[in-house]
Each structure stands twice: as C-alpha cells, then as structure tokens.
Amino acid sequence: MLFNSISFLIFLPIVFGLYWFVFQKNLKLQNAFLLLASYVFYGWWDWRFLGLIIASSAVDYWCGLKMSTVDSQQSTENSANSTIEGPGKETGNKNLTKKQPWSMVSGLWTGKRLYLTISLTFNLGLLAFFKYFNFFIDSAADFISLLGFQPHISTLNLILPVGISFYTFQTLSYSIDVYKGKLKPTKDPIAFFTFVAFFPQLVAGPIERASNLLPQFFKKREFEYQQGSDGMKLILWGLFKKMVIADNCALVVNPIFENYQTASGLELIMGAILFAFQIYGDFSGYSDIAIGVAKLFGFDLMTNFRTPYFSRDIAEFWRRWHISLSTWFRDYVYIPLGGSRVTKVKAIRNIFIVFLVSGFWHGANWTFIAWGGIHAALFIPIFLIGKNRVHLNEGDHMIPSFKELIQMISTFTLVSVAWVFFRANSIGDALGYLIRTFSNPLFPNSFNWFGYHLRVALVIFLVLEWIGRKRSNWIEIIPLKWYRYPVYFLVAFSIMYWGVFTQKMDFIYFQF
Amino acid sequence: MKKFLVKIFFFCLISVIVYPIFIGSLGSYWLTQRRLTKNLIFNQGGNSFMWSKLHEADTTKDIDVLILGSSIALRGIDTRIFKEYGLKAFNLGSNYQTPLQTEYLLNKYLNQFSPKYVIWEVTPITFQNRGLESFIDIFSNSNIDKGALKQSVFISDIIAWNTLIISLKRQIFDEFDNYNEREIKGSTKYVQGGFVESNNLDFDDRDKLDLYSIDFLEYQKLAFEKNLNLLNQSNVKILLVQSPTTYEYNKCITNWNYINSYFESFEENELIVDYRNYNEIIPNFGKDTSYFTDKMHLNRIGAKKYTKFLIDDFIETFSY
C-alpha cells in the first residue's frame, strides 16, 4: 500500500477511528489491532511475504527471551561465585557484554552469544537470500567468465520482499541491544511483533531503535491535539515533497538517464541535479509521512533527514541524510569495529567498510557499492585533516555567507555526481553518463527546459527548506496564528495542481 | 480529539469549496499565460477541432451514416466522399475516444442524428485506456451536464476534474460563446461533416514502437456492449472497423487474434454487426507510408483512398 494511494486514503481513517474509538480502553488490544492493521498494510502488496516478517519477529523475540534467561542464570552463578571470591569484583551482565570483544570467535555457540548468532544468521540470511542471492551468483559467473571459463550457473527468480532491509535491521538492533545489555528483552509478543511491523515505518523507515520505539508500545496512549496536528502537517508536507518535487523530477530524469548516450551535456547536468532532488523528495517525503502517520497514533519516530543539501561538507551531509541508517551503521558496525579510536589505517578501513556496506545495503548492484565507495573517498580526506566535525550546527544567520554558499554548492555537486552511480543501471552506464556530460555537445539542438511549474516548485521548496533548516521541517515552525491555514491550503492545492497523479510512481526506497 | 476531527472536517470542507475558486481564478489566469498548468488542461478547439465539430453536431439532423471512434476515424474517414455517393455522413470521432466517451456522445446525439448506419472505428488501444484525453477533448468544448459528471467519476483523475471546473466556470460566465475556432490549424483543416484533413504529406517516422499486447478494460468492454445494444434498439446497422495503420504499427501489437475474435464475436449474435479489419483485408495499404502522416494516422490522400474502399465495402455489406 502506498502512502499516496486511494487505498491508503481509505485505510488510514478506518484504522485511526477503530484505534482511538474502539480499542483505546485496552492497551494490549490496541497493540494487537495495530499489529493486524500493519499486516494488512504489508499484505496489501503481497500477503505471502508476511511469513518473513512473522518469522523474523518470532526469531528475535525468542532470542531476546533466551538471552535474558542466560543472563539471569549467569547472574545467579556469578553471585554464587562472588560469595566465594568475595565482593568488589564486577560481574554479571555488563562484564559479559562490554569486556568480551566482538571479534572473539570462541564461545560463538555458547550463552548469549549463541542467541545473538542465531538472530544475526537468520536475519542476515534472509537478506542474503532474498536480496543478494542472484547478485552473488551473477558476479561469480562474471568472474568465472573473466578467467576464460564458461560458467553454467542459473539464478533463481526471486521477488525482493518490500522493506526487507528496513525491518531486518530494526529487529537486529533489538537483538544486539539486548545482547549488549542496553535493553531488557520484552515478554510481550504482541508489542514486539507490532514494533517490528509498525506500518508507518515498516517498508521504508525510519529504521527505529528498539530502545526508542518499543517502550512506546507499553505506555498508555492518549490522543494529543498538538501531536495529531503536527502529524497532519508532516503528512501534508511529505506528500508535497513526494508528489510535487520527486515525481515531477522523475518525469524529467527518467528519459535523460535512459537516453544519456544522445543527451547533451546540459541535459545530463540537469538530469543529475534533478535526480538529487528526486531522491531527496521521494525518501524524505516518505519519512515525513511515516513520522506524521505515527504521530496520529500517538508515537514519536526519529528524525530521518535534516535539510541535507545545505550541508557544507560530506561529513555534515551524512549527519543529515538518512539519519536512522547512518546512526545504525555507526552504532552497530563502525563503533564495534573500533570507530576512530584506533590507528589511522584501521580508522580508514572502518570508514570504508561502513560506506561500502551502507551502499550494498541499498541494493544488490555494483553501482550501490561504487556509490558507497565514492562517499568513503570523499569523507576520508576530511577525516584525515580532522575537519569532519566542524559543521555541527546550522548557524543562526538568515542568509548564508559567500563561503558557506560555495561550500554548500560544492558539497551538493559532489553528492549529485555520486547519485549518478546510485541511479544508473550499471557502473558502465554511470561512467558513460559522466563522460558524456563533458564529451557530448553542451547545448542540444533544441533545449527543452523542464516544466515551468517544476522550476517554481523547486524554488519554493528550497526557500522553505532553508527556513526550516534547524528543524526537520519548516511546516513545524509556522506560528499558531490564523495565517497558517492559508499556508496549509496552498500546500494542499499545490499538490492537487502540480502533483503527479496519472503515472504510477513508487517510492524509490521501497526497492531496498 | 473532537477539536482535531472538527478542524480536519472543516479543512476538507473549505478545501472542497475553495479549490474550485482557486482553479477557476488562478488556474484560468495561468491557462492564458500557458504557465504553471501541470494538472490543468483545457483544450478548447484543439487539434481535433472539437469546438467546431460539436457546434456543427448541435445543428445536424437525420444523417445516413454516423462515424464514431478515435483520431484514426477522425482523420481517416472523409465525410466528403460519402456525399459523392449520395450519403449524408457525420464524423463524431475524437482523439483517443474510448467506448465511455462514445456512450456519452451517443446518448447526446443519437436521437437527433437518427442515423441508419454506424461505422465505428474500434482502435484497440482505446479499449485499454481510461479515456482522459478524450474526456478533455470533449468537455473543453461542451457544456457540463450529468453525463460529464458521471464520466469524471469513472475516470477519477484530478486533470478531468480540473477541466470540468474550468468548463463549468466558462459555462456560468458565458465565456464559451466568445470563442471562434479557426478552420485551418497548421497542416490540419476542419471539413464540414466532422472530418479533419491532414495535409502534411511528409511521413513522420520519429515514434519508436515496442512490442505490446492489448488487454481490454472490463468497464470499456461493458460500455462498448451497452453502446451496441443502444444502437441495436434504434435499429441502426453497425460496421465495426479497424482502419489502416502502418504495417510497422500493426506488427507491434502481438495479440491481434484476441482483438479480432472479440469483435467478431458480435457478428454471431442478434445484433446487426459486421466487423472488418482492413489491415488484413488490404495489407499493402499499411506498407505504403505515402498515405500516412505518422504511424497511425492517414493523410488526406490516404483518407480519400481508404474512405472510397470503405464505402464500397459498406454498400456491398449492407446491400445499400
């Protein structure tokens, strides 16, 4: 079910009404209803893949409980030991999780580590099978061909389950946090299954941490006017980003990328810039709607974007782009690898690993790995000169200085070049696109600027984004004065008037 | 919660009231500027000369042959040739006319025209189309009535609703009558009797075509069968035709068997229907691009030649 579809327009008010008016008295029933609604939401796309979410939830729920059992057993043993060894020695949970290094292979099949291994193997196995199986087979076949042999390998006709990368990462965060002792495992299966399948963020994030979202399922929820109102505003602005900005950009971008061989340099530049806006409008629009819908049900999800195209360097960009994923990789990959508190060489290795894995997370294609690699290559020089934490806040001034403007434009340019790899069908296409940007004639025979409405919409969009750059959204900072209503009407009307309704436009991140 | 729901309700209510005013005022202005009109298409006149056609149709009565269908009929069946045979014909073809729009036009004009025969160009792609293009073509040039509202519900597209708003506004403020359509636009010319003559004799080869199969939409099939019944009840004899298109275009459609058998199935029941696929009857026609302006449409020379062939066949079929 897409957020910008008629089916969701009918689904949301029904679920909202039943949630608040029928099931509010009983928290468990309310959670159970939310779970049912989430499964309907997901099953609308393909009910057969519900089994995967249920299996993933069940495995992690069970692993969590088992880790807790092991914990309590070990605490008992340790307290018995402490009686013998005497007081003063740190034992128990913290000792187990913090002092044992990740890389320790021995003991993989014992204690808590066993259940973490089961959780990791199951979830990453699902991902590997459904998302990467064909990629590995094809790559192996290509490699064998390169060696001069004739490979006889057949791939499987696998359908990629929507949102699999998002919900497996979400459940993994739970297992890892329980393992590390940062989180107590839940004994309420309904709450846990709902946490995994919570429909607003199920298929394209934000990837929530169990420590943030799970406790909200145990709290009695009361409808708050301000929260509901904020939710509606976010939904409205998210729809604008998706239907006016992203989808209109897509109408220009798609033909340019499909025919890049014959396009002029100017068109190729335009295609790369507009794709940057397309993917931002598409994904941050989805996140806004997800956060907004969650608010309608009394939940607060984490911010996923903070005006990333106003970043002054790549490091700042990554603090503002897809925050839920970049912080996931920081907490569960980068830091366990040693982060930056290791030798320079190891730190560079860690950065490369995180960016490459992050690229690979997006899709089973070398283009995504290249995209990750480019970002690593852009990030590492700033890291080496120690300037990766220079721009930690947005600044108070209304107009950027000339220096800042240049920094923003150059960061945006680099990001846009990297997006070409993200958007292209193959590395060859991406390189061809970039080479032709400079080798093809700069001006086409008849240059057709993209629609006037899109140009106007982009200018309005950029101005509003700039105004709201200190928050996740400008629409949240409109004063509660009478004139906010005409603003909402204008946003709603511009969606009706400029939005793309006729073509079927999926959210880009659904494929991940 | 009550405050929230009340505000949402009023927001929706005011939107429903204010949006038409927004489209009627700002949208109308942007239309004149030809800017910012993404979801607002108002095609007064247009390249199908719909304004002239519908105005002529309003005053036309008692004809022999009514021609229906898409732009292939509009530009391919020359009503002047019928005159040479002593037949009074009117071409109600319009761009991308789907059975839904044909239903609207038949309901509006059938009694007034009281034709004895209908030649209906049943272009396959119009049966898999919702009919937005044709809707805009018709209702940018016609007053809004119940039929128009019914069609807009079927099409369910913001562009269709915006067209209706502008059309309604023009109707209310009598702006429709200020329009005068030119008889010649570029290389096309409106000919009395509803035919549009294409005088561009250079074949346009630019469209790249891919192989595709056509699946008819259920509601278009229903509308088509309803139209046949309506014509049958009025004792009108019907000739369903596939007018010539280029050989290259025809070979892109991969399921001609399905298409032909669907239309041939109507020959077997009580309706007085015959079906002709002229791409199969005169296969060489589509191979000669000098008869075409593009891959689907005949130019004036092709239209003249094809119409003569069509009338001869028509006379023989119905022993006229």
Side-chain angles (χ1 to χ4, degrees):
Chain A
M1 208 182 284
L2 292 173
F3 281 159
N4 57 339
S5 65
I6 297 287
S7 43
F8 187 72
L9 194 67
I10 297 164
F11 171 86
L12 183 62
I14 293 172
V15 175
F16 179 83
L18 291 172
Y19 178 84
W20 287 115
F21 295 114
V22 179
F23 296 104
Q24 199 200 355
K25 284 179 185 163
N26 185 319
L27 185 66
K28 280 195 183 271
L29 266 181
Q30 206 179 27
N31 285 342
F33 173 68
L34 213 46
L35 177 63
L36 177 74
S38 299
Y39 284 165
V40 170
F41 177 86
Y42 191 81
W44 207 264
W45 165 70
D46 193 331
W47 60 269
R48 291 170 303 171
F49 289 105
L50 274 175
L52 288 183
I53 300 185
I54 295 170
S56 182
S57 312
V59 167
D60 285 288
Y61 175 71
W62 179 75
C63 288
L65 285 180
K66 285 306 224 182
M67 283 191 247
S68 140
T69 315
V70 172
D71 247 357
S72 51
Q73 279 170 358
Q74 282 180 343
S75 306
T76 320
E77 283 167 21
N78 287 333
S79 51
N81 289 341
S82 68
T83 338
I84 299 162
E85 290 168 14
K89 187 176 179 185
E90 196 181 1
T91 56
N93 189 20
K94 276 185 182 175
N95 197 18
L96 236 177
T97 53
K98 284 198 172 174
K99 292 190 176 174
Q100 289 187 12
W102 264 79
S103 54
M104 202 171 81
V105 179
S106 62
L108 196 68
W109 301 106
T110 57
K112 282 170 78 175
R113 195 174 283 271
L114 166 70
Y115 298 107
L116 178 68
T117 310
I118 292 172
S119 169
L120 287 171
T121 311
F122 183 81
N123 285 299
L124 295 178
L126 275 187
L127 255 188
F129 181 71
F130 282 99
K131 192 164 177 174
Y132 300 108
F133 181 80
N134 284 346
F135 171 77
F136 287 127
I137 294 288
D138 286 337
S139 300
D142 289 345
F143 182 69
I144 293 167
S145 304
L146 267 180
L147 297 176
F149 298 101
Q150 191 67 37
H152 296 286
I153 298 170
S154 56
T155 53
L156 295 174
N157 189 19
L158 292 172
I159 300 170
L160 179 66
V162 164
I164 189 167
S165 307
F166 289 92
Y167 69 75
T168 48
F169 267 43
Q170 189 155 307
T171 52
L172 275 180
S173 80
Y174 170 79
S175 298
I176 299 170
D177 284 352
V178 170
Y179 172 79
K180 286 181 159 184
K182 285 183 179 172
L183 191 73
K184 279 192 172 173
T186 174
K187 288 179 180 163
D188 181 345
I190 299 291
F192 181 75
F193 278 52
T194 316
F195 153 73
V196 177
F198 188 43
F199 76 89
Q201 44 85 246
L202 171 60
V203 289
I207 302 167
E208 276 298 331
R209 302 303 170 77
S211 53
N212 176 43
L213 185 56
L214 194 54
Q216 296 186 52
F217 287 99
F218 300 111
K219 220 169 56 186
K220 175 92 178 134
R221 294 178 289 272
E222 294 291 338
F223 183 84
E224 286 172 28
Y225 173 79
Q226 195 52 49
Q227 196 181 28
S229 161
D230 286 347
M232 289 304 290
K233 286 189 263 182
L234 281 171
I235 293 171
L236 190 65
W237 185 235
L239 286 172
F240 178 90
K241 281 179 176 175
K242 164 67 181 159
M243 296 173 74
V244 177
I245 301 298
D247 290 351
N248 276 302
C249 284
L251 295 178
V252 183
V253 168
N254 292 345
I256 293 177
F257 270 83
E258 275 158 30
N259 305 298
Y260 72 89
Q261 295 93 339
T262 51
S264 67
L266 208 55
E267 284 167 318
L268 293 172
I269 291 168
M270 198 170 78
I273 291 172
L274 288 185
F275 180 69
F277 283 105
Q278 182 196 341
I279 194 158
Y280 174 59
D282 192 286
F283 193 22
S284 73
Y286 186 93
S287 292
D288 285 347
I289 300 170
I291 296 166
V293 171
K295 278 183 190 292
L296 292 183
F297 292 89
F299 289 87
D300 281 315
L301 301 183
M302 70 184 291
T303 301
N304 216 11
F305 291 89
R306 282 192 302 116
T307 54
Y309 290 152
F310 296 131
S311 303
R312 288 151 290 185
D313 58 49
I314 287 292
E316 189 185 12
F317 174 80
W318 278 105
R319 282 192 293 273
R320 292 160 162 267
W321 176 272
H322 202 174
I323 298 165
S324 65
L325 181 72
S326 46
T327 51
W328 197 100
F329 276 112
R330 182 196 64 199
D331 294 345
Y332 299 116
V333 182
Y334 184 65
I335 292 174
L337 284 170
S340 56
R341 291 176 182 176
V342 284
T343 61
K344 279 266 188 252
V345 175
K346 279 190 176 170
I348 290 169
R349 178 205 66 180
N350 294 345
I351 291 167
F352 253 111
I353 289 173
V354 166
F355 275 108
L356 293 180
V357 173
S358 163
F360 198 45
W361 174 90
H362 283 86
N365 196 329
W366 289 104
T367 50
F368 295 116
I369 298 172
W371 172 76
I374 292 168
H375 273 281
L378 295 172
F379 185 88
I380 284 167
I382 302 174
F383 171 76
L384 287 176
I385 56 170
K387 300 265 184 187
N388 56 319
R389 297 189 66 77
V390 172
H391 302 298
L392 292 176
N393 59 50
E394 295 80 7
D396 286 326
H397 38 277
M398 198 57 213
I399 310 268
S401 67
F402 181 71
K403 185 185 166 194
E404 280 179 323
L405 202 61
I406 296 295
Q407 287 172 329
M408 284 177 205
I409 291 170
S410 51
T411 307
F412 178 76
T413 306
L414 295 172
V415 169
S416 299
V417 171
W419 282 134
V420 172
F421 284 84
F422 194 94
R423 172 62 178 78
N425 295 325
S426 65
I427 298 271
D429 279 347
L431 291 172
Y433 189 102
L434 293 174
I435 291 166
R436 281 183 162 82
T437 303
F438 301 102
S439 63
N440 282 5
L442 183 61
F443 295 101
N445 295 333
S446 57
F447 188 68
N448 209 349
W449 270 103
F450 52 92
Y452 188 73
H453 65 277
L454 180 54
R455 277 178 271 164
V456 172
L458 278 174
V459 170
I460 294 171
F461 177 64
L462 279 174
V463 170
L464 293 176
E465 285 276 288
W466 177 258
I467 292 170
R469 71 192 186 283
K470 286 189 178 176
R471 300 280 192 93
S472 61
N473 261 308
W474 69 277
I475 206 157
E476 288 177 341
I477 55 174
I478 301 176
L480 293 174
K481 299 268 173 63
W482 67 269
Y483 55 77
R484 69 187 189 275
Y485 289 108
V487 175
Y488 302 153
F489 281 122
L490 277 177
V491 176
F493 291 172
S494 52
I495 294 169
M496 302 282 278
Y497 194 64
W498 287 338
V500 175
F501 289 86
T502 40
Q503 283 94 342
K504 189 174 177 289
M505 297 282 196
D506 281 346
F507 285 90
I508 294 175
Y509 266 68
F510 270 26
Q511 62 185 295
F512 308 138
Chain B
M1 175 65 91
K2 194 178 162 194
K3 184 183 168 191
F4 177 77
L5 292 178
V6 166
K7 287 209 172 181
I8 293 290
F9 173 76
F10 276 106
F11 185 80
C12 295
L13 185 72
I14 293 169
S15 293
V16 169
I17 297 165
V18 176
Y19 183 71
I21 298 169
F22 170 80
I23 292 293
S25 51
L26 261 177
S28 290
Y29 170 73
W30 284 331
L31 267 177
T32 59
Q33 303 294 307
R34 293 168 185 264
R35 278 181 168 180
L36 302 171
T37 55
K38 167 81 180 53
N39 289 338
L40 178 56
I41 305 175
F42 194 76
N43 209 1
Q44 196 158 20
N47 64 1
S48 64
F49 293 86
M50 211 56 192
W51 173 257
S52 303
K53 182 190 290 258
L54 293 179
H55 264 67
E56 195 188 340
D58 286 341
T59 54
T60 301
K61 283 181 180 170
D62 302 324
I63 57 172
D64 297 306
V65 183
L66 172 64
I67 296 147
L68 299 167
S70 67
S71 56
I72 295 179
L74 169 76
R75 289 157 188 266
I77 304 177
D78 189 341
T79 45
R80 289 170 300 191
I81 316 287
F82 283 83
K83 216 170 181 180
E84 291 173 15
Y85 282 78
L87 292 165
K88 187 180 175 187
F90 193 87
N91 190 330
L92 254 186
S94 62
N95 287 343
Y96 234 126
Q97 188 181 106
T98 75
L100 262 183
Q101 284 80 47
T102 312
E103 184 187 338
Y104 174 81
L105 293 170
L106 279 178
N107 284 331
K108 190 168 180 181
Y109 292 112
L110 186 63
N111 287 339
Q112 182 191 322
F113 285 175
S114 48
K116 298 182 187 78
Y117 303 93
V118 158
I119 296 176
W120 191 348
E121 159 61 43
V122 282
T123 312
I125 48 168
T126 61
F127 282 71
Q128 67 165 16
N129 187 279
R130 287 185 304 154
L132 178 63
E133 187 179 339
S134 179
F135 178 94
I136 294 165
D137 212 19
I138 293 170
F139 295 109
S140 299
N141 297 285
S142 169
N143 283 342
I144 302 307
D145 52 20
K146 237 166 72 182
L149 295 174
K150 193 180 147 196
Q151 296 252 323
S152 73
V153 172
F154 253 105
I155 291 172
S156 291
D157 192 298
I158 188 75
I159 298 176
W161 295 327
N162 286 344
T163 303
L164 277 193
I165 292 169
I166 294 288
S167 203
L168 199 63
K169 182 218 161 195
R170 294 205 172 190
Q171 201 172 318
I172 291 167
F173 293 101
D174 282 334
E175 290 173 19
F176 264 130
D177 295 333
N178 300 334
Y179 182 70
N180 276 318
E181 188 168 25
R182 282 174 292 140
E183 208 172 89
I184 296 173
K185 292 177 190 170
S187 60
T188 54
K189 179 184 171 192
Y190 181 74
V191 175
Q192 258 205 342
F195 173 63
V196 172
E197 184 180 76
S198 301
N199 289 307
N200 183 6
L201 302 182
D202 295 326
F203 178 64
D204 182 353
D205 196 24
R206 277 176 301 180
D207 285 344
K208 293 275 174 282
L209 301 173
D210 295 319
L211 290 179
Y212 63 101
S213 76
I214 291 173
D215 290 320
F216 291 176
L217 294 172
E218 277 309 312
Y219 65 84
Q220 293 293 12
K221 277 160 71 173
L222 278 176
F224 176 68
E225 286 157 30
K226 202 171 158 189
N227 292 340
L228 286 182
N229 283 325
L230 181 68
L231 292 168
N232 192 40
Q233 282 162 14
S234 310
N235 289 320
V236 180
K237 292 175 182 174
I238 308 155
L239 182 63
L240 304 176
V241 299
Q242 299 287 350
S243 299
T245 46
T246 57
Y247 175 75
E248 204 184 340
Y249 174 77
N250 287 312
K251 75 175 183 194
C252 287
I253 299 174
T254 55
N255 59 339
W256 273 112
N257 284 343
Y258 162 76
I259 294 162
N260 287 335
S261 61
Y262 175 73
F263 291 118
E264 279 161 5
S265 69
F266 295 100
E267 291 179 320
E268 291 156 12
N269 59 26
E270 290 173 6
L271 301 168
I272 313 155
V273 177
D274 268 275
Y275 173 64
R276 296 278 189 281
N277 185 341
Y278 288 109
N279 289 304
E280 290 173 359
I281 296 167
I282 39 175
N284 287 334
F285 204 100
K287 288 178 182 167
D288 189 344
T289 53
S290 67
Y291 293 138
F292 293 88
T293 54
D294 56 43
K295 283 171 181 160
M296 289 179 80
H297 299 104
L298 293 165
N299 60 28
R300 69 178 155 82
I301 297 167
K304 192 174 175 183
K305 186 166 179 177
Y306 164 60
T307 309
K308 278 186 176 172
F309 188 89
L310 173 68
I311 296 171
D312 289 338
D313 194 27
F314 161 79
I315 289 171
E316 199 185 316
T317 306
F318 293 115
S319 311
Y320 184 78

